Amino acid sequence: MAEQTSGLPLAEALARLLQRFPGPLQSLGVERLPLPRALERVLAEPLLAPAAVPGFRAAVMDGYALRSADLAQHPRRQLPLLGCSTAGTPWPQPLERPGVVRIMTGAAVPEGADAVVPQELVTCRSLSDGSAAVVIEAAVRAGQWIRPIGEEATAGALLQKVGSLLGPVEIARAIGCGLREAVVQRRPRVALLISGSELRPAGEPLGPGQIHDSNGPLLAALLQRLGVALVERRWVDDDPTRLEQALLAMARRCDVLISTGGVSVGEGDHVRPLLERLGRLEFWRVLLKPGRPFACGELAGVAFFGLPGNPVSATVTFLQLVWPVLQQLEGREPRAWPRLRVRLREPLQRRAGRPELLRAQLESDGAGNAWARVCGAQGSARLGSLLGADLLLELNADTTSLPAGAAVMAQLLRQSLL
């Protein structure tokens, strides 16, 4: 097969994974949560508005509510002040004769009134009998500065469909429409195995040839930031028996098993052969830099993804291939990273070979043009290339040099707030 010698193209690899692991996982089931606790969760049942919102006509401006017909022939007519309508305390009487009601933003418009005049277009007067009146200084049209009933949602309207991701705005809108809870998909349980005899935990003294484990903290924090439920994180050395025991034990506790390291062809790389023996190997090489060694399939009945051992390679392959599958397993439509065209701040040199995703920072000039500054040396073991990385620059396999100012396509890694 082609991927055994050169690797699958990234787009083909992702398409195969999404087809292989469709979602949502029926074994997970659903749960009902209060809406404030459902942030970043995926809807399993639609959200429907129980009633129209707003349920009354509301003033959009501080001013005066009136009947526009009373000014049809006399645009500067003086009208008596009849009362006041404030937010939460509406004027209780219908407006059945010429006059105005003082009204505040968000307050209910009295029955009979069909317009609101902003207060800056009104002159107030005190009359000799102790009452007050106003003079309208501008033309008035019916419906002005009034929020109609059902502007946000009509009764029974679909607020969010099944599969929608609940962000801050979706939650606030549903609560504003009178809902309290949402039925959401349970999240896939993810376990993370870090392999490598050379690794030591943070702060431990290092022996010859040893390094501190950065992959574990990096991937665990990335999963947390993306809202993924991490149920176990374990380190195992490069002993095939201990690796097998760990993989089988962890598979019993999770829905998705992710490992890093041990998926290449070295004498100490045991994860891929174990996957072939204990489960099913879908493919194990991707035509991508960084991140060519990538094993995926099914192990002991759960989805398995074997990331490369170098931290940058592990991060890039996770973002390109694993994160979309995790989204799909939770029941939402996988969202590709937004793409935009940027220009290089500095010239770029590289060797032809595999397609490459370069880490870069996004900059903007005074004219609003998007620029990219490559984050230093791009070695797959150099975590510094991920520092401040907003972009993954997409370079073709045959690209060797680009001048400053050259336009390239890039993936935007930053998540939206709303």
Side-chain angles (χ1 to χ4, degrees):
M1 295 175 63
E3 66 264 26
Q4 292 178 332
T5 56
S6 60
L8 279 177
L10 180 60
E12 183 180 344
L14 178 58
R16 282 178 59 167
L17 287 178
L18 293 177
Q19 184 178 14
R20 177 69 181 82
F21 300 108
L25 284 175
Q26 297 302 314
S27 60
L28 296 180
V30 301
E31 59 182 330
R32 186 180 296 274
L33 293 177
L35 276 164
R37 289 178 49 203
L39 182 65
E40 298 299 317
R41 300 298 293 272
V42 177
L43 279 176
E45 294 182 4
L47 295 181
L48 304 176
V53 177
F56 54 87
R57 295 178 307 140
V60 180
M61 299 278 285
D62 290 344
Y64 295 85
L66 49 75
R67 303 186 306 180
S68 59
D70 292 337
L71 299 175
Q73 302 300 322
H74 305 283
R76 288 180 55 83
R77 182 174 179 179
Q78 178 174 292
L79 297 172
L81 178 62
L82 304 177
C84 184
S85 182
T86 61
T89 308
W91 174 250
Q93 302 173 17
L95 193 58
E96 297 177 335
R97 59 187 176 88
V100 299
V101 173
R102 176 74 167 130
I103 195 164
M104 307 303 173
T105 301
V109 176
E111 183 183 346
D114 65 355
V116 170
V117 181
Q119 60 187 19
E120 58 268 24
L121 300 180
V122 169
T123 299
C124 298
R125 293 179 177 177
S126 297
L127 304 180
S128 58
D129 62 359
S131 62
V134 299
V135 175
I136 309 302
E137 304 289 349
V140 176
R141 59 175 177 80
Q144 72 176 34
W145 302 114
I146 292 178
R147 186 184 186 198
I149 293 173
E151 181 190 58
E152 182 67 57
T154 57
L158 176 65
L159 303 178
Q160 291 296 320
K161 64 181 181 180
V162 171
S164 298
L165 184 68
L166 294 178
V169 176
E170 288 81 4
I171 288 174
R173 185 172 185 236
I175 291 174
C177 288
L179 297 175
R180 299 177 56 190
E181 298 176 324
V183 177
V184 297
Q185 298 285 348
R186 293 187 185 275
R187 284 175 163 156
R189 300 165 301 162
V190 175
L192 179 60
L193 182 141
I194 312 299
S195 67
S197 298
E198 77 281 13
L199 301 178
R200 288 296 176 267
E204 274 198 11
L206 297 178
Q210 294 180 338
I211 60 174
H212 288 119
D213 170 32
S214 59
N215 278 3
L218 173 64
L219 293 171
L222 188 57
L223 289 164
Q224 180 181 5
R225 173 162 285 187
L226 293 172
V228 177
L230 183 61
V231 296
E232 183 178 3
R233 176 175 135 196
R234 185 187 302 197
W235 168 81
V236 182
D237 64 9
D238 291 320
D239 179 84
T241 300
R242 285 189 286 271
L243 276 170
E244 178 176 347
Q245 292 171 347
L247 288 169
L248 291 176
M250 296 173 76
R252 288 192 289 268
R253 299 191 55 214
C254 68
D255 305 294
V256 177
L257 179 53
I258 300 173
S259 75
T260 175
V263 294
S264 193
V265 294
E267 293 181 359
D269 293 320
H270 303 296
V271 172
R272 180 177 58 85
L274 285 171
L275 175 60
E276 291 180 295
R277 183 163 61 84
L278 301 174
R280 179 178 183 273
L281 177 67
E282 184 73 20
F283 60 86
W284 77 279
R285 279 184 176 174
V286 180
L287 195 59
L288 177 67
K289 182 180 180 182
R292 184 177 185 181
F294 174 85
C296 59
E298 188 174 296
L299 188 146
V302 303
F304 177 85
F305 302 98
L307 306 179
N310 280 324
V312 180
S313 299
T315 301
V316 170
T317 51
F318 172 85
L319 293 176
Q320 298 296 305
L321 296 169
V322 182
W323 174 230
V325 175
L326 290 176
Q327 294 177 74
Q328 186 163 273
L329 291 177
E330 196 179 353
R332 57 171 142 159
E333 189 74 22
R335 294 181 61 184
W337 299 104
R339 299 174 73 239
L340 68 160
R341 188 178 299 276
V342 298
R343 295 189 178 276
L344 297 176
R345 278 291 192 195
E346 300 161 338
L348 186 150
Q349 300 286 334
R350 69 183 288 271
R351 284 187 288 183
R354 285 171 281 161
E356 187 168 4
L357 295 174
L358 267 66
R359 286 71 69 200
Q361 293 178 334
L362 177 65
E363 299 178 355
S364 177
D365 60 23
N369 299 308
W371 294 83
R373 188 181 299 276
V374 176
C375 297
Q378 295 284 301
S380 61
R382 182 178 175 267
L383 279 168
S385 70
L386 292 172
L387 284 175
D390 306 291
L391 304 170
L392 292 177
L393 305 183
E394 301 175 349
L395 300 184
N396 296 326
D398 56 356
T399 299
T400 56
S401 65
L402 291 170
V408 297
M409 293 302 296
Q411 299 175 25
L412 180 64
L413 295 181
R414 299 301 181 189
Q415 297 281 81
S416 63
L417 291 177
L418 299 178

mmCIF file of all heavy atoms in Angstrom, residues 265-292:
data_model
loop_
_atom_site.group_PDB
_atom_site.id
_atom_site.type_symbol
_atom_site.label_atom_id
_atom_site.label_comp_id
_atom_site.label_asym_id
_atom_site.label_seq_id
_atom_site.Cartn_x
_atom_site.Cartn_y
_atom_site.Cartn_z
ATOM 1 N N VAL A 265 9.799 2.809 13.601
ATOM 2 C CA VAL A 265 10.312 1.495 13.210
ATOM 3 C C VAL A 265 11.573 1.106 13.968
ATOM 4 O O VAL A 265 12.266 0.170 13.592
ATOM 5 C CB VAL A 265 10.592 1.467 11.686
ATOM 6 C CG1 VAL A 265 9.302 1.585 10.914
ATOM 7 C CG2 VAL A 265 11.567 2.581 11.288
ATOM 8 N N GLY A 266 11.893 1.819 15.052
ATOM 9 C CA GLY A 266 13.080 1.499 15.819
ATOM 10 C C GLY A 266 12.906 0.244 16.653
ATOM 11 O O GLY A 266 11.781 -0.273 16.824
ATOM 12 N N GLU A 267 14.031 -0.249 17.219
ATOM 13 C CA GLU A 267 13.973 -1.470 18.022
ATOM 14 C C GLU A 267 13.154 -1.276 19.296
ATOM 15 O O GLU A 267 12.626 -2.244 19.851
ATOM 16 C CB GLU A 267 15.394 -1.930 18.370
ATOM 17 C CG GLU A 267 16.189 -2.382 17.159
ATOM 18 C CD GLU A 267 17.582 -2.865 17.533
ATOM 19 O OE1 GLU A 267 17.912 -2.825 18.737
ATOM 20 O OE2 GLU A 267 18.327 -3.281 16.632
ATOM 21 N N GLY A 268 13.057 -0.034 19.766
ATOM 22 C CA GLY A 268 12.274 0.224 20.971
ATOM 23 C C GLY A 268 10.855 0.663 20.710
ATOM 24 O O GLY A 268 10.142 1.044 21.634
ATOM 25 N N ASP A 269 10.429 0.613 19.461
ATOM 26 C CA ASP A 269 9.077 1.054 19.096
ATOM 27 C C ASP A 269 8.148 -0.156 19.067
ATOM 28 O O ASP A 269 8.094 -0.897 18.075
ATOM 29 C CB ASP A 269 9.088 1.751 17.735
ATOM 30 C CG ASP A 269 9.837 3.070 17.763
ATOM 31 O OD1 ASP A 269 9.685 3.803 18.757
ATOM 32 O OD2 ASP A 269 10.582 3.359 16.810
ATOM 33 N N HIS A 270 7.381 -0.329 20.141
ATOM 34 C CA HIS A 270 6.556 -1.531 20.293
ATOM 35 C C HIS A 270 5.057 -1.255 20.152
ATOM 36 O O HIS A 270 4.268 -2.205 20.094
ATOM 37 C CB HIS A 270 6.802 -2.163 21.665
ATOM 38 C CG HIS A 270 8.234 -2.500 21.924
ATOM 39 N ND1 HIS A 270 8.925 -3.435 21.187
ATOM 40 C CD2 HIS A 270 9.118 -2.013 22.837
ATOM 41 C CE1 HIS A 270 10.176 -3.532 21.641
ATOM 42 N NE2 HIS A 270 10.322 -2.677 22.642
ATOM 43 N N VAL A 271 4.653 0.021 20.127
ATOM 44 C CA VAL A 271 3.227 0.327 20.180
ATOM 45 C C VAL A 271 2.514 -0.140 18.916
ATOM 46 O O VAL A 271 1.452 -0.771 18.979
ATOM 47 C CB VAL A 271 3.004 1.831 20.412
ATOM 48 C CG1 VAL A 271 1.518 2.184 20.266
ATOM 49 C CG2 VAL A 271 3.507 2.234 21.800
ATOM 50 N N ARG A 272 3.083 0.123 17.757
ATOM 51 C CA ARG A 272 2.410 -0.271 16.517
ATOM 52 C C ARG A 272 2.272 -1.790 16.403
ATOM 53 O O ARG A 272 1.186 -2.291 16.073
ATOM 54 C CB ARG A 272 3.133 0.312 15.300
ATOM 55 C CG ARG A 272 2.480 -0.063 13.975
ATOM 56 C CD ARG A 272 3.194 0.600 12.812
ATOM 57 N NE ARG A 272 4.594 0.249 12.756
ATOM 58 C CZ ARG A 272 5.086 -0.835 12.183
ATOM 59 N NH1 ARG A 272 4.269 -1.710 11.627
ATOM 60 N NH2 ARG A 272 6.378 -1.064 12.162
ATOM 61 N N PRO A 273 3.348 -2.575 16.660
ATOM 62 C CA PRO A 273 3.160 -4.028 16.610
ATOM 63 C C PRO A 273 2.123 -4.530 17.606
ATOM 64 O O PRO A 273 1.369 -5.464 17.303
ATOM 65 C CB PRO A 273 4.554 -4.572 16.938
ATOM 66 C CG PRO A 273 5.494 -3.474 16.540
ATOM 67 C CD PRO A 273 4.763 -2.205 16.845
ATOM 68 N N LEU A 274 2.040 -3.893 18.776
ATOM 69 C CA LEU A 274 1.026 -4.299 19.750
ATOM 70 C C LEU A 274 -0.373 -3.993 19.234
ATOM 71 O O LEU A 274 -1.307 -4.782 19.433
ATOM 72 C CB LEU A 274 1.267 -3.592 21.087
ATOM 73 C CG LEU A 274 2.433 -4.128 21.922
ATOM 74 C CD1 LEU A 274 2.702 -3.213 23.113
ATOM 75 C CD2 LEU A 274 2.126 -5.548 22.424
ATOM 76 N N LEU A 275 -0.515 -2.864 18.585
ATOM 77 C CA LEU A 275 -1.820 -2.521 18.021
ATOM 78 C C LEU A 275 -2.237 -3.544 16.971
ATOM 79 O O LEU A 275 -3.395 -3.978 16.924
ATOM 80 C CB LEU A 275 -1.766 -1.118 17.407
ATOM 81 C CG LEU A 275 -3.021 -0.646 16.654
ATOM 82 C CD1 LEU A 275 -4.234 -0.612 17.578
ATOM 83 C CD2 LEU A 275 -2.782 0.725 16.022
ATOM 84 N N GLU A 276 -1.310 -3.948 16.125
ATOM 85 C CA GLU A 276 -1.623 -4.947 15.107
ATOM 86 C C GLU A 276 -2.011 -6.285 15.725
ATOM 87 O O GLU A 276 -2.889 -6.986 15.219
ATOM 88 C CB GLU A 276 -0.415 -5.130 14.184
ATOM 89 C CG GLU A 276 -0.137 -3.921 13.300
ATOM 90 C CD GLU A 276 1.052 -4.133 12.398
ATOM 91 O OE1 GLU A 276 2.174 -4.271 12.913
ATOM 92 O OE2 GLU A 276 0.863 -4.155 11.166
ATOM 93 N N ARG A 277 -1.373 -6.638 16.836
ATOM 94 C CA ARG A 277 -1.645 -7.937 17.459
ATOM 95 C C ARG A 277 -2.894 -7.906 18.331
ATOM 96 O O ARG A 277 -3.659 -8.880 18.377
ATOM 97 C CB ARG A 277 -0.443 -8.374 18.293
ATOM 98 C CG ARG A 277 -0.605 -9.752 18.935
ATOM 99 C CD ARG A 277 0.729 -10.320 19.391
ATOM 100 N NE ARG A 277 1.379 -9.498 20.381
ATOM 101 C CZ ARG A 277 1.120 -9.562 21.699
ATOM 102 N NH1 ARG A 277 0.192 -10.398 22.149
ATOM 103 N NH2 ARG A 277 1.775 -8.812 22.536
ATOM 104 N N LEU A 278 -3.132 -6.790 19.038
ATOM 105 C CA LEU A 278 -4.237 -6.724 20.004
ATOM 106 C C LEU A 278 -5.517 -6.157 19.397
ATOM 107 O O LEU A 278 -6.575 -6.235 20.029
ATOM 108 C CB LEU A 278 -3.835 -5.881 21.210
ATOM 109 C CG LEU A 278 -2.604 -6.353 21.994
ATOM 110 C CD1 LEU A 278 -2.248 -5.336 23.070
ATOM 111 C CD2 LEU A 278 -2.862 -7.717 22.609
ATOM 112 N N GLY A 279 -5.417 -5.562 18.234
ATOM 113 C CA GLY A 279 -6.605 -4.914 17.660
ATOM 114 C C GLY A 279 -6.530 -4.860 16.156
ATOM 115 O O GLY A 279 -6.295 -5.864 15.491
ATOM 116 N N ARG A 280 -6.690 -3.662 15.633
ATOM 117 C CA ARG A 280 -6.728 -3.479 14.177
ATOM 118 C C ARG A 280 -6.005 -2.192 13.832
ATOM 119 O O ARG A 280 -6.297 -1.135 14.387
ATOM 120 C CB ARG A 280 -8.178 -3.415 13.699
ATOM 121 C CG ARG A 280 -8.350 -3.198 12.202
ATOM 122 C CD ARG A 280 -9.824 -3.206 11.834
ATOM 123 N NE ARG A 280 -10.025 -3.068 10.407
ATOM 124 C CZ ARG A 280 -10.114 -1.899 9.774
ATOM 125 N NH1 ARG A 280 -10.037 -0.771 10.467
ATOM 126 N NH2 ARG A 280 -10.298 -1.858 8.466
ATOM 127 N N LEU A 281 -5.061 -2.262 12.910
ATOM 128 C CA LEU A 281 -4.320 -1.100 12.442
ATOM 129 C C LEU A 281 -4.989 -0.541 11.197
ATOM 130 O O LEU A 281 -5.141 -1.245 10.193
ATOM 131 C CB LEU A 281 -2.869 -1.484 12.136
ATOM 132 C CG LEU A 281 -1.979 -0.370 11.560
ATOM 133 C CD1 LEU A 281 -1.757 0.723 12.592
ATOM 134 C CD2 LEU A 281 -0.652 -0.946 11.075
ATOM 135 N N GLU A 282 -5.418 0.704 11.256
ATOM 136 C CA GLU A 282 -6.031 1.362 10.100
ATOM 137 C C GLU A 282 -4.954 1.846 9.132
ATOM 138 O O GLU A 282 -4.977 1.548 7.956
ATOM 139 C CB GLU A 282 -6.895 2.527 10.571
ATOM 140 C CG GLU A 282 -7.660 3.239 9.476
ATOM 141 C CD GLU A 282 -8.819 2.407 8.957
ATOM 142 O OE1 GLU A 282 -9.273 1.478 9.654
ATOM 143 O OE2 GLU A 282 -9.270 2.679 7.828
ATOM 144 N N PHE A 283 -4.013 2.635 9.613
ATOM 145 C CA PHE A 283 -2.819 3.027 8.859
ATOM 146 C C PHE A 283 -1.809 3.576 9.857
ATOM 147 O O PHE A 283 -2.131 3.822 11.012
ATOM 148 C CB PHE A 283 -3.130 4.057 7.754
ATOM 149 C CG PHE A 283 -3.721 5.346 8.244
ATOM 150 C CD1 PHE A 283 -2.919 6.397 8.677
ATOM 151 C CD2 PHE A 283 -5.101 5.529 8.268
ATOM 152 C CE1 PHE A 283 -3.470 7.590 9.121
ATOM 153 C CE2 PHE A 283 -5.664 6.714 8.709
ATOM 154 C CZ PHE A 283 -4.844 7.747 9.144
ATOM 155 N N TRP A 284 -0.567 3.779 9.415
ATOM 156 C CA TRP A 284 0.417 4.211 10.409
ATOM 157 C C TRP A 284 1.419 5.220 9.897
ATOM 158 O O TRP A 284 2.364 5.568 10.594
ATOM 159 C CB TRP A 284 1.135 3.005 11.023
ATOM 160 C CG TRP A 284 2.194 2.366 10.172
ATOM 161 C CD1 TRP A 284 2.007 1.477 9.164
ATOM 162 C CD2 TRP A 284 3.599 2.559 10.277
ATOM 163 N NE1 TRP A 284 3.203 1.111 8.632
ATOM 164 C CE2 TRP A 284 4.207 1.745 9.302
ATOM 165 C CE3 TRP A 284 4.429 3.314 11.108
ATOM 166 C CZ2 TRP A 284 5.578 1.680 9.114
ATOM 167 C CZ3 TRP A 284 5.800 3.254 10.923
ATOM 168 C CH2 TRP A 284 6.359 2.448 9.946
ATOM 169 N N ARG A 285 1.265 5.757 8.731
ATOM 170 C CA ARG A 285 2.140 6.836 8.273
ATOM 171 C C ARG A 285 1.319 7.904 7.573
ATOM 172 O O ARG A 285 0.416 7.595 6.802
ATOM 173 C CB ARG A 285 3.212 6.308 7.326
ATOM 174 C CG ARG A 285 4.400 5.671 8.046
ATOM 175 C CD ARG A 285 5.458 5.272 7.055
ATOM 176 N NE ARG A 285 6.638 4.744 7.723
ATOM 177 C CZ ARG A 285 7.673 4.217 7.083
ATOM 178 N NH1 ARG A 285 7.665 4.137 5.775
ATOM 179 N NH2 ARG A 285 8.721 3.761 7.763
ATOM 180 N N VAL A 286 1.686 9.158 7.838
ATOM 181 C CA VAL A 286 1.026 10.295 7.202
ATOM 182 C C VAL A 286 2.084 11.107 6.484
ATOM 183 O O VAL A 286 3.174 11.349 7.025
ATOM 184 C CB VAL A 286 0.297 11.172 8.240
ATOM 185 C CG1 VAL A 286 -0.385 12.352 7.560
ATOM 186 C CG2 VAL A 286 -0.724 10.344 9.007
ATOM 187 N N LEU A 287 1.768 11.524 5.274
ATOM 188 C CA LEU A 287 2.695 12.320 4.479
ATOM 189 C C LEU A 287 2.644 13.764 4.978
ATOM 190 O O LEU A 287 1.998 14.624 4.393
ATOM 191 C CB LEU A 287 2.319 12.230 3.004
ATOM 192 C CG LEU A 287 3.369 12.699 1.984
ATOM 193 C CD1 LEU A 287 4.641 11.890 2.129
ATOM 194 C CD2 LEU A 287 2.809 12.578 0.577
ATOM 195 N N LEU A 288 3.355 14.007 6.083
ATOM 196 C CA LEU A 288 3.254 15.291 6.767
ATOM 197 C C LEU A 288 4.533 15.543 7.548
ATOM 198 O O LEU A 288 5.120 14.622 8.108
ATOM 199 C CB LEU A 288 2.049 15.286 7.718
ATOM 200 C CG LEU A 288 1.832 16.544 8.563
ATOM 201 C CD1 LEU A 288 1.465 17.726 7.653
ATOM 202 C CD2 LEU A 288 0.748 16.303 9.600
ATOM 203 N N LYS A 289 4.923 16.799 7.591
ATOM 204 C CA LYS A 289 6.033 17.241 8.426
ATOM 205 C C LYS A 289 5.560 18.434 9.238
ATOM 206 O O LYS A 289 5.068 19.401 8.660
ATOM 207 C CB LYS A 289 7.222 17.619 7.549
ATOM 208 C CG LYS A 289 8.453 18.049 8.320
ATOM 209 C CD LYS A 289 9.595 18.396 7.372
ATOM 210 C CE LYS A 289 10.828 18.821 8.145
ATOM 211 N NZ LYS A 289 11.944 19.211 7.231
ATOM 212 N N PRO A 290 5.682 18.349 10.562
ATOM 213 C CA PRO A 290 6.129 17.222 11.378
ATOM 214 C C PRO A 290 4.982 16.227 11.584
ATOM 215 O O PRO A 290 3.820 16.595 11.499
ATOM 216 C CB PRO A 290 6.501 17.890 12.700
ATOM 217 C CG PRO A 290 5.548 19.039 12.801
ATOM 218 C CD PRO A 290 5.343 19.530 11.381
ATOM 219 N N GLY A 291 5.341 14.968 11.868
ATOM 220 C CA GLY A 291 4.311 14.020 12.264
ATOM 221 C C GLY A 291 4.107 12.819 11.389
ATOM 222 O O GLY A 291 3.024 12.249 11.375
ATOM 223 N N ARG A 292 5.125 12.372 10.675
ATOM 224 C CA ARG A 292 4.906 11.241 9.775
ATOM 225 C C ARG A 292 4.517 9.955 10.504
ATOM 226 O O ARG A 292 3.562 9.274 10.107
ATOM 227 C CB ARG A 292 6.151 11.004 8.930
ATOM 228 C CG ARG A 292 5.966 9.903 7.904
ATOM 229 C CD ARG A 292 7.201 9.771 7.050
ATOM 230 N NE ARG A 292 7.025 8.802 5.985
ATOM 231 C CZ ARG A 292 7.956 8.492 5.104
ATOM 232 N NH1 ARG A 292 9.122 9.086 5.160
ATOM 233 N NH2 ARG A 292 7.725 7.610 4.162
#
